[in-house]
Amino acid sequence: RAPPGVPGTMGQRLVHVEPPATRPRFNNVEPRSREERLAIRDKDMLEKLRLEHRLKSNAKEDLNSNLLEPPPNSAGFISEADRFCTDAAGEEFADRQRRKLEREELVERKRVINYEREAKRWDRVRMEEKFEDIKLQELKESQIPELNKSSVKYNMITLQYEDSHDGQSLKYRDDLVKRHMAVQANKGLRHMKSSVNYDMITGEPVRSKIPVPAMPTDPGPAPEKTDPWANMTHFRVDSLYDNEPERHEVSSRAGGTGY
């Protein structure tokens, strides 16, 4: 007989079967394709796989972060609201101020350039005039005008004394002679005795006294001649348009330079 609760087996032998949970499991691996096997042999791919499966690696991959946007706690982070300017009027005012400053700077640069150019031009003009005056003075003192120069120190047509030390010396000597003549004439009048009150030679009334002019002022010794080129920069006319003046020695002038 079969045990109670067990149906009849009709003479068959009972076999104990273990439940499926206790059965041994098999590791079924899907075969790799040829492309996958070749990719595993690649050196770069193999290193990337090893770095990916490395434990406690220094590089921590954050799959949720955006590579183009810095994190909020970094110095380069800016919110979307602050990225764009919301004050259109202020931006337009700043642009107008910038253009105004650029225009003022341009005008100031042009003014400085024009001022420096005009200053240099007038310096050249004054220098040319000064050198021309010195050249004319040297021509007057040279031997060329001596050929047609008068021996007296006054103008024989207008009888005016020259405006020089020689002319003033001649005027001083003439004034001394005139004063001496007036003094001698007064002495003669005091000693002259006549029975008539007029001059018998000229017929004019006899004067009791002739006015004596004041004592003239002595002009003093002649001043020493100075070299007008001593404290000046010598240059030629064509060197006025260069940065530095040219120097040229002149053999005819002893110890001096000219242009």
Side-chain angles (χ1 to χ4, degrees):
R1 295 178 62 181
V6 178
T9 57
M10 298 178 62
Q12 295 181 358
R13 186 179 179 180
L14 297 175
V15 180
H16 179 70
V17 179
E18 296 179 358
T22 60
R23 291 180 182 178
R25 296 181 179 180
F26 297 95
N27 187 13
N28 295 326
V29 179
E30 184 179 358
R32 298 172 181 174
S33 62
R34 180 176 296 177
E35 289 77 6
E36 292 178 353
R37 292 196 300 272
L38 293 177
I40 291 175
R41 295 178 184 176
D42 186 40
K43 183 178 179 181
D44 294 339
M45 183 62 66
L46 183 60
E47 290 181 356
K48 290 179 181 179
L49 289 175
R50 289 176 180 176
L51 290 175
E52 184 179 357
H53 294 85
R54 178 186 296 179
L55 299 178
K56 299 181 180 180
S57 60
N58 295 329
K60 184 177 180 181
E61 182 180 2
D62 189 4
L63 300 178
N64 297 326
S65 63
N66 186 4
L67 299 178
L68 302 179
E69 182 180 357
N73 56 353
S74 64
F77 176 77
I78 184 172
S79 61
E80 293 293 337
D82 297 335
R83 286 181 58 191
F84 303 97
C85 180
T86 57
D87 188 7
E91 186 176 0
E92 182 66 23
F93 177 75
D95 185 64
R96 291 199 304 271
Q97 292 294 327
R98 179 183 58 80
R99 292 197 300 267
K100 180 180 178 182
L101 290 177
E102 291 178 355
R103 185 169 59 253
E104 292 178 354
E105 290 179 359
L106 178 61
V107 173
E108 182 65 19
R109 286 197 302 269
K110 289 184 177 181
R111 187 192 68 81
V112 172
I113 293 173
N114 293 335
Y115 172 78
E116 293 178 354
R117 183 173 62 249
E118 288 296 319
K120 292 180 180 179
R121 187 176 69 86
W122 281 109
D123 289 342
R124 290 197 300 268
V125 171
R126 285 191 291 269
M127 187 65 70
E128 289 179 358
E129 293 178 354
K130 195 170 184 179
F131 273 78
E132 187 67 22
D133 295 340
I134 294 176
K135 183 178 178 180
L136 294 177
Q137 184 65 25
E138 287 187 350
L139 290 176
K140 291 179 181 179
E141 297 176 357
S142 63
Q143 297 179 358
I144 297 177
E146 293 288 342
L147 301 177
N148 195 25
K149 189 175 181 181
S150 176
S151 60
V152 295
K153 303 302 178 182
Y154 62 92
N155 193 335
M156 290 182 291
I157 299 176
T158 61
L159 301 180
Q160 296 293 330
Y161 294 98
E162 290 184 359
D163 189 10
S164 61
H165 183 270
D166 295 337
Q168 297 299 324
S169 299
L170 178 61
K171 184 177 182 299
Y172 171 72
R173 292 193 297 269
D174 292 346
D175 292 341
L176 285 179
V177 172
K178 292 178 182 179
R179 187 175 186 278
H180 181 69
M181 291 173 59
V183 172
Q184 295 298 326
N186 289 329
K187 289 182 180 180
L189 290 176
R190 286 198 303 267
H191 296 286
M192 184 178 65
K193 295 180 180 180
S194 177
S195 58
V196 294
N197 56 355
Y198 60 88
D199 191 349
M200 291 181 296
I201 298 176
T202 61
E204 295 179 357
V206 178
R207 292 180 294 180
S208 61
K209 187 178 181 180
I210 296 176
V212 179
M215 190 69 180
T217 304
D218 188 5
E224 297 181 358
K225 294 184 178 181
T226 58
D227 187 8
W229 304 90
N231 300 324
M232 298 190 63
T233 304
H234 312 288
F235 64 99
R236 299 189 316 181
V237 176
D238 56 354
S239 66
L240 292 174
Y241 303 96
D242 299 333
N243 295 330
E244 296 183 359
E246 298 181 2
R247 290 181 172 270
H248 301 271
E249 299 293 337
V250 178
S251 58
S252 61
R253 184 180 302 169
T257 57
Y259 53 91

